[in-house]
Amino acid sequence: MEEAGRASFIKIEEFLLATPQEAMRDLAAVRFRDDVLRRVKESRVNGLILDLSGIDVVDSFMGRTIGEITNSAALLGVKVVVIGLRPEVAITMVEMGVSIGQVHPFLNLDLALKFLRDQRSR
Amino acid sequence: MSEEELLDVEIKEDFDIVKARARARAVAATLGFELVDQTRIATAVSEIARNALVHGGGGKMTLRAINRKKGLEIVIVDKGPGIPDINQAVKDGYSTAGGLGLGLGGAKRLMDELRIESSSVGTKVTMRKWLLGELRR
Ligand SMILES: Nc1ncnc2c1ncn2[C@@H]1O[C@H](COP(=O)(O)OP(=O)(O)OP(=O)(O)O)[C@@H](O)[C@H]1O
Ligand SMILES: [Mg+2]
């Protein structure tokens, strides 16, 4: 885990799935944020799915950075959904009072995709 | 694990925050803390270690297993300018650095004890979490 911060990006239908693979140092989190927003813009997707299953700590910095991603993507006109948040991380976020912006959380990828497709056909 | 001092973690750059919280989580797991408490501990360490780096110019974390009452003590120190008004600093939303001002208040809520000692030559934050703390609260 020397250079914490790898992430993967996959296009599914007209949606972008962005997945941080491991714990992110602050610099990596900021780089990930910029990377996601650039890809959202360049690949002209209709939706962004943020998979947070690889994140074991969401502190105030990480929460703010995720919030910047979700709020900025929404401003770009893209629907944003979050999947994979670990229950223990969710509990900790609630206790801390960390929020990640206006997002639609889903339990898994299937439900997220269904939601995004429904939004699309409106 | 006896009531011994474990290896210190130096906090000199942002990656050390990741190291510090990973170390704290691993020790917490060894002591028998369950996943939610491990995550609370790792998150509190992340906040206080970042404060030591960003506001205190760097510092170090020391972990100690507390035998008798069964718990984990985490001490994070720095040699920065200190916190002039601790009561104000702990309030949610107070930040001198354009942050959310959630770090100190949040860490306090996640841990069972959080004590701050600060002067113009540095800051020391001592946090404790007890095994079974949640059942006692
Ligand atoms: N180790 C420290 N040395 C000096 N000042 C500190 C230290 N820790 C905290 N402070 C002061 O207390 C304030 C509140 O800290 P807190 O962690 O709650 O918020 P923050 O670091 O500003 O933002 P956030 O943690 O939400 O990103 C800081 O803005 C800073 O002025
Ligand atoms: Mg802070």
Side-chain angles (χ1 to χ4, degrees):
Chain A
M1 199 185 55
E2 259 319 303
E3 264 305 313
R6 279 173 309 144
S8 77
F9 299 91
I10 307 171
K11 212 173 155 192
I12 304 177
E13 297 163 29
E14 68 256 56
F15 314 119
L16 179 70
L17 171 64
T19 312
Q21 304 279 335
E22 59 191 348
M24 285 200 273
R25 64 198 290 175
D26 295 355
L27 260 173
V30 168
R31 224 186 294 130
F32 174 71
R33 177 197 68 196
D34 297 347
D35 220 20
V36 172
L37 293 173
R38 189 174 45 75
R39 283 167 195 266
V40 161
K41 180 106 203 307
E42 282 173 3
S43 55
R44 298 163 188 256
V45 288
N46 289 316
L48 170 64
I49 306 166
L50 216 47
D51 180 354
L52 298 181
S53 56
I55 301 292
D56 68 349
V57 167
V58 175
D59 59 11
S60 63
F61 187 90
M62 193 63 202
R64 182 169 53 166
T65 308
I66 296 170
E68 285 165 352
I69 294 174
T70 57
N71 289 333
S72 306
L75 276 179
L76 294 177
V78 165
K79 280 267 178 278
V80 188
V81 305
V82 165
I83 60 172
L85 196 63
R86 300 186 191 183
E88 67 275 16
V89 173
I91 291 174
T92 306
M93 287 170 67
V94 169
E95 288 177 356
M96 284 247 322
V98 165
S99 108
I100 54 172
Q102 300 257 317
V103 289
H104 304 273
F106 288 95
L107 271 176
N108 58 46
L109 184 58
D110 280 349
L111 294 171
L113 283 172
K114 186 171 180 307
F115 170 81
L116 288 173
R117 288 188 202 113
D118 285 353
Q119 293 287 314
R120 185 79 188 109
S121 56
R122 289 214 172 155
Chain B
M1 208 175 304
S2 66
E3 205 157 315
E4 66 194 312
E5 302 244 329
L6 296 153
L7 268 187
D8 292 349
V9 177
E10 297 283 339
I11 302 155
K12 292 195 205 117
E13 52 150 346
D14 66 342
F15 187 61
D16 296 332
I17 299 171
V18 177
K19 277 191 202 163
R21 70 187 187 215
R23 175 77 60 80
R25 180 192 286 278
V27 170
T30 308
L31 289 173
F33 284 99
E34 41 90 32
L35 189 54
V36 178
D37 269 347
Q38 290 172 29
T39 304
R40 290 184 176 116
I41 290 167
T43 307
V45 164
S46 194
E47 292 297 344
I48 303 306
R50 181 175 297 100
N51 280 354
L53 180 67
V54 174
H55 308 301
K60 76 167 197 235
M61 175 186 79
T62 307
L63 298 172
R64 196 166 66 87
I66 309 167
N67 252 352
R68 256 164 303 144
K69 275 183 81 181
K70 296 252 188 273
L72 174 62
E73 181 179 87
I74 301 153
V75 179
I76 297 180
V77 293
D78 66 63
K79 295 194 172 106
I83 306 173
D85 185 340
I86 291 174
N87 288 330
Q88 190 177 40
V90 175
K91 285 209 181 90
D92 282 348
Y94 179 81
S95 172
T96 60
L100 296 174
L102 264 184
L104 281 175
K108 191 165 187 167
R109 285 190 289 279
L110 294 175
M111 301 298 287
D112 291 328
E113 294 177 22
L114 185 146
R115 191 175 74 237
I116 303 169
E117 296 155 88
S118 193
S119 73
S120 59
V121 293
T123 298
K124 175 179 177 183
V125 179
T126 306
M127 299 186 280
R128 286 178 170 176
K129 192 86 183 162
W130 307 112
L131 274 164
L132 305 177
E134 189 157 33
L135 297 180
R136 283 196 215 130
R137 81 181 175 189

